[in-house]
Amino acid sequence: MNQSAPPHKTKKLFEKDGVSLVATILSSTPNDEDDHNGMILTLYLHRHTEKNVINPTMISLLAQALDVIDNHPLLNHTNSKALIITGIDHDDFKICKFFGNGLDLEWMMKASNNQKTKDNGGAAAAASAVSAATKNENPTSQMIEMFNSQVLAKILTLPFRTVAAINGHCIGAGLFLALACDYRFMRTERGYIQWPEARLGMRLTKGFAELSKDKISDYAVLREGLLTAKRYTSGEALASGIIDGEYPLEELYLAAFRFAMEGLPESSDNPLEYFDPKAYTEMKMEIWCTSYRALKFGKVSDLPHSRI
């Protein structure tokens, strides 16, 4: 295990097809899982050959992992926890080039039976699939709505601190996954953040639009990012307020881990004496009410000017 992994007892709670959930138990007595000072959960995205794209398989895996967070007996008896989402592979940094490379364009083309494959046909066909999805129910609209309601809305309102450790390219749906987290840290030197919709000839759809507006407070950044499809380096993303910190890849996970620890309700630095997870979730709903409603209840076919 690389030195960037935390020096605590870990327990794998879920692992399937390149997605895994690991609990790091913060305890002075490693053999006693009931006597601990909190847990840091890490949701690892290791579908590297697919560049961690969002498709029905990835959505199902993410939803299963989130269900484990809700129901695993190890987690049900403590409120002192936090979550990191990352594509980092502690054993091989070279393969973790993508945090999330957007929607699965190849899957969208196949699902829409669109045979455009020449020149820019891949992106154009995918854009056509999204355009069709905004007008009626089809496999692409169903996929996006599942991603929004089962994954993004859930992460947005989890009753503890959530941190995206962005290990590489973070594009489109991958960016929305990061934006659903409370905080975002990004690797330096390689990788960029991008809203690619303007380049691909797609509209955002309501869920993605409202999430972007709720999490990007600077209108000028929102305008630049969405209307120009600008690619942000980590330094540019930090200066623009899209992320909260930047670190070399070998330091990224530990930085996210330490920050997650600082946010534990029972943290000695800033304890939340009367912490209530239900109230914490409801507070997040109140803060990001518009995006939560659009993600949880919205449809891809909702009109651009509609209110949800």
Side-chain angles (χ1 to χ4, degrees):
M1 177 83 52
N2 189 283
Q3 290 181 352
S4 66
H8 300 282
K9 180 179 179 179
T10 60
K11 184 170 184 177
K12 191 166 290 184
L13 307 182
F14 173 82
E15 184 176 29
K16 186 177 180 182
D17 296 338
V19 172
S20 61
L21 179 69
V22 176
T24 300
I25 303 168
L26 309 175
S27 176
S28 56
T29 53
N31 294 323
D32 188 352
E33 293 180 351
D34 295 322
D35 180 20
H36 60 77
N37 303 316
M39 295 188 189
I40 305 300
L41 305 172
T42 304
L43 181 56
Y44 287 104
L45 314 178
H46 286 169
R47 293 174 63 82
H48 300 301
T49 57
E50 293 189 357
K51 302 179 181 179
N52 285 335
V53 293
I54 299 300
N55 54 31
T57 299
M58 175 67 100
I59 293 167
S60 175
L61 293 169
L62 292 172
Q64 289 176 64
L66 292 171
D67 187 62
V68 170
I69 291 176
D70 278 343
N71 298 298
H72 197 284
L74 183 64
L75 307 178
N76 285 341
H77 303 296
T78 179
N79 294 327
S80 192
K81 52 197 173 195
L83 173 68
I84 299 168
I85 301 178
T86 188
I88 285 176
D89 189 315
H90 297 295
D91 294 317
D92 189 354
F93 281 163
K94 293 181 180 179
I95 64 174
C96 45
K97 298 177 181 179
F98 291 86
F99 176 82
N101 199 35
L103 297 174
D104 188 340
L105 303 185
E106 182 177 349
W107 181 90
M108 290 162 60
M109 286 188 295
K110 291 178 180 177
S112 64
N113 295 316
N114 194 319
Q115 301 302 314
K116 296 179 182 178
T117 58
K118 296 181 181 179
D119 301 324
N120 195 37
S128 177
V130 172
S131 179
T134 62
K135 298 177 177 64
N136 52 61
E137 287 290 325
N138 69 13
T140 293
S141 68
Q142 294 167 4
M143 177 185 73
I144 294 173
E145 288 162 12
M146 287 177 59
F147 180 52
N148 287 354
S149 63
Q150 297 182 21
V151 178
L152 297 185
K154 179 68 176 179
I155 293 171
L156 183 70
T157 55
L158 283 170
F160 40 77
R161 176 172 288 190
T162 56
V163 185
I166 302 170
N167 54 282
H169 298 310
C170 183
I171 302 167
L175 173 55
F176 300 131
L177 181 61
L179 289 177
C181 295
D182 302 329
Y183 302 92
R184 287 159 292 284
F185 293 166
M186 185 177 178
R187 71 176 291 184
T188 56
E189 298 178 359
R190 295 190 63 179
Y192 57 81
I193 280 175
Q194 184 188 37
W195 287 269
E197 288 76 14
R199 182 178 66 84
L200 297 175
M202 300 177 179
R203 53 171 280 210
L204 279 171
T205 73
K206 292 296 290 183
F208 295 158
E210 298 300 337
L211 180 61
S212 298
K213 290 191 291 183
D214 268 353
K215 290 303 185 87
I216 306 299
S217 59
D218 189 328
Y219 166 74
V221 173
L222 194 67
R223 177 180 60 191
E224 177 185 59
L226 292 174
L227 299 185
T228 72
K230 175 182 171 67
R231 294 180 176 183
Y232 292 86
T233 65
S234 62
E236 292 169 333
L238 182 60
S240 299
I242 302 171
I243 64 172
D244 301 283
E246 58 171 342
Y247 300 89
L249 180 59
E250 60 271 16
E251 300 175 14
L252 176 63
Y253 183 79
L254 273 182
F257 189 89
R258 293 191 185 103
F259 188 76
M261 285 181 61
E262 291 170 4
L264 294 174
E266 299 172 9
S267 168
S268 58
D269 294 332
N270 186 35
L272 305 177
E273 292 91 342
Y274 305 107
F275 179 81
D276 182 295
K278 183 176 182 292
Y280 204 72
T281 282
E282 291 173 346
M283 182 167 61
K284 287 187 176 184
M285 288 182 183
E286 292 166 338
I287 297 171
W288 299 304
C289 181
T290 305
S291 56
Y292 176 75
R293 285 202 309 262
L295 292 168
K296 186 69 176 177
F297 306 111
K299 299 291 185 181
V300 172
S301 58
D302 290 329
L303 295 174
H305 55 273
S306 63
R307 290 186 178 275
I308 299 173

